[in-house]
Amino acid sequence: MLKHTNFVFEILITFILGCNFDRNKMFTKNFATSTTCDLPNHASISSLNRSLKLDGEIQFENLRYAAKDFGNRYTYHPAAILNPKSVSDISNLINFIFQMGPTSGLTVAPRGHGHSLEGQAQAHQGVVINMESLAKSQEMNFHINGDTKTKTPFVDVSAGALWIDILHESLKHGLAPKSWTDYLHLTVGGTLSNAGISGQAFRHGPQINNVHQLEVVTGTGQVVTCTKEINSDLFYGVLGGLGQFGIITRAHISLEPAPKMVKWIRVLYSDFATFTDDQEHLISSSNGSFDYIEGFVLINRTGILNNWRSSFKNKDTVQAGRLFSEEKTVYCLEIAKYFKQEDSVKIDQKVENLLSKLNYNESTLFISQVSYVEFLDRVHVSELKLQEKGLWDVPHPWLNLLVPKTKIYKFANEVFGKILPDTSNGPILIYPVDKSRWDTKTSMVTPNEDVFYLVAFLSSAMPSSTGTDGLDYILSQNKRILEVCETAKLETKQYLPHYNTQDEWKQHFGSRWDDFVRRKYTYDPLAILTPGQRIFQKSVSFL
Ligand code: FAD
């Protein structure tokens, strides 16, 4: 079992890299006064089939895939799956359910690539919309010269499109999106409903800051085009809105000239303060700096060097190995510099100059040169290896936290090495971003400080294990981490948040809760949409 765990870790490190809920507790203050709905009965489900005129189709069998996700811990069976071929399929379905009124109990969940962790794209006895089916019948339209207003290139895509497909299509025009996630086999709608954060966010902001027009189907079935200027309340609401205010059907995504190659670099630190000082220095000097800045923690991982040797060059592996064996906890800064073929002569000097300003342990410089696509799609390589071993579909009790800059030292002190004796269950990412350059009008919730760290505990659990690589053990560690954040008043926020009670959601949104509820009432008054987030429950109180 331990062997498996190590294998999972070694592969996942390249990420860097790398139900029972109480329905009655889910009501908001206002929704709470309402009568709880029954689950939909057969009559309401079959009326869907009879009454809807669709370009695509609705299926009532083979529904199991829609009751699963990457987290592999929650299973809510839907009553049907809609495979839309047009936006009006989605709008007709939602409007039909809206017209049925609150008592039907029917809910609707858009499902992107199903890489949620806790059933967020599922709908218990509701209808799951397969957004990838919509993408198959919609084109990607490239606007190389932008529009009259932006004058910068963008692509108009289906929200069910995968980022990896957008990358390949954009490259045909010599262009690429600016802001990514570490893994590209996710849909546009799925990441825009959260934020989409990766090592480019320090410069470009998250993916939700790199779209300038959306088409949305609201919870009444209305199809609305929105931008920062037109229907801006809905535009900002759905970005980071956890699928609560509408289903995104199309998005305009900003593009930039694509590089060809990437210098991919890892350097190590034994001192946490030096590591974070360098990270913070790098994200503050936006232009002329590296193009991607992340980092990760290695606790008791002496074997990791063997894994890196195959893909990274290092002048002095013996010295680097000594650092691992002497230090229990080592911090790795991961950075990348993009370049075009014609710049390949100058790039080494450029990288050397940038590196000379950093304070990593000498002899721990690992450099690799890969194509832009290889770099961006790096996690997929690991996915294929894990799938081959049957280790991709294990439970993933991930915990993603946003930690304010002034609290990161205390956080690290409490968590690394104390709560976590090692990092063999999966990588721990840690890197800062500066939201003073972000558009913060979206629904995404962040800590109060401008600079905060994304700390991602990306654990994989071995299904039948009761040991330290088992689900219960990892969940108990996650709980302890959250408790430390609470008791030490670290003012962290969850990213890809998951809660069971209304009070927890209220606390998560803080002063923005009232606005979140107002938008729900405005755009999805019957709480039909995206029940798997467990924020609101379909109710009769509104209207
Ligand atoms: P789904 O899981 O299908 O849906 C996610 C949520 O969005 C659900 O609530 C769903 O109902 C809703 N939704 C889906 N489509 C739409 C739509 N069109 N309109 C409105 N709501 C919709 N995140 C990062 O930010 N950075 C990373 O680097 C990163 N790396 C990851 C690596 C891996 C291996 C995995 C599994 C996840 C990673 N994530 C990362 C998290 C990921 O961004 C989210 O889980 C995302 O929601 C998954 O996209 P999806 O298409 O699978 O969405």
Side-chain angles (χ1 to χ4, degrees), residues 1-2 12 20 58 85 91 105 126 130 138 255 267 337 347 362 369 380 384 453 462 469 472:
M1 188 62 73
L2 194 64
L12 283 180
N20 285 327
I58 192 155
K85 278 196 174 160
S91 134
N130 172 7
Q138 288 192 322
L255 303 173
V267 290
K337 186 80 187 152
I347 192 67
E362 276 179 36
Q369 183 168 311
H380 187 53
L384 295 177
Y453 281 76
M462 290 305 115
D469 55 357
D472 287 346

Side-chain angles (χ1 to χ4, degrees), residues 402-404 435 445-453 491-493:
L402 306 176
V403 184
K435 77 167 182 214
V445 174
T446 59
N448 281 331
E449 295 176 17
D450 276 346
V451 176
F452 57 86
Y453 281 76
E491 292 163 23
T492 54
K493 290 288 177 192

Side-chain angles (χ1 to χ4, degrees), residues 23 26-27 31 34-38 40 96-108 520 524-529 531 536-541:
R23 290 169 69 87
M26 299 182 341
F27 282 61
F31 281 113
S34 62
T35 312
T36 309
C37 295
D38 292 332
F96 185 78
I97 293 174
F98 179 72
Q99 297 300 340
M100 284 165 108
T103 48
S104 83
L106 264 180
T107 55
V108 173
K520 186 69 176 176
D524 181 23
L526 291 185
I528 289 169
L529 299 178
F536 304 99
Q537 187 184 12
K538 193 167 180 187
S539 85
V540 295
S541 73

Side-chain angles (χ1 to χ4, degrees), residues 112 131-135 138 157-162 186-189 248-249:
M131 296 303 292
E132 288 188 272
S133 157
L134 180 67
Q138 288 192 322
V157 287
S158 172
L162 293 176
L186 307 167
T187 64
V188 168
I248 304 167
T249 45

Side-chain angles (χ1 to χ4, degrees), residues 140-157:
M140 264 185 223
N141 300 320
F142 286 87
H143 298 257
I144 311 293
N145 300 316
D147 51 29
T148 42
K149 196 161 162 273
T150 59
K151 302 230 176 350
T152 54
F154 70 88
V155 56
D156 173 10
V157 287

Side-chain angles (χ1 to χ4, degrees), residues 110 112-116 120 182 187 190 193-194 196-197 248 495 530 533:
H113 205 48
H115 277 50
S116 287
Q120 286 92 338
D182 293 334
T187 64
S193 301
N194 286 295
I197 308 175
I248 304 167
Y495 176 55
T530 321
Q533 297 279 2

Side-chain angles (χ1 to χ4, degrees), residues 397 399 401 410-411 413-422 457 468 471-490 492 494:
L399 177 66
L401 295 173
K410 185 153 196 194
F411 179 91
N413 219 14
E414 293 295 327
V415 175
F416 305 145
K418 276 195 197 168
I419 295 179
L420 301 170
D422 58 45
F457 301 90
T468 54
L471 182 61
D472 287 346
Y473 182 83
I474 299 170
L475 287 174
S476 74
Q477 278 184 325
N478 288 352
K479 192 163 166 256
R480 282 177 67 199
I481 294 168
L482 289 169
E483 278 164 7
V484 161
C485 293
E486 190 69 27
T487 48
K489 297 194 174 21
L490 299 184
T492 54
Q494 279 192 38

Side-chain angles (χ1 to χ4, degrees), residues 172-186:
K172 292 179 187 164
H173 302 270
L175 297 166
K178 302 169 183 174
S179 188
W180 296 99
T181 44
D182 293 334
Y183 174 67
L184 307 188
H185 298 247
L186 307 167

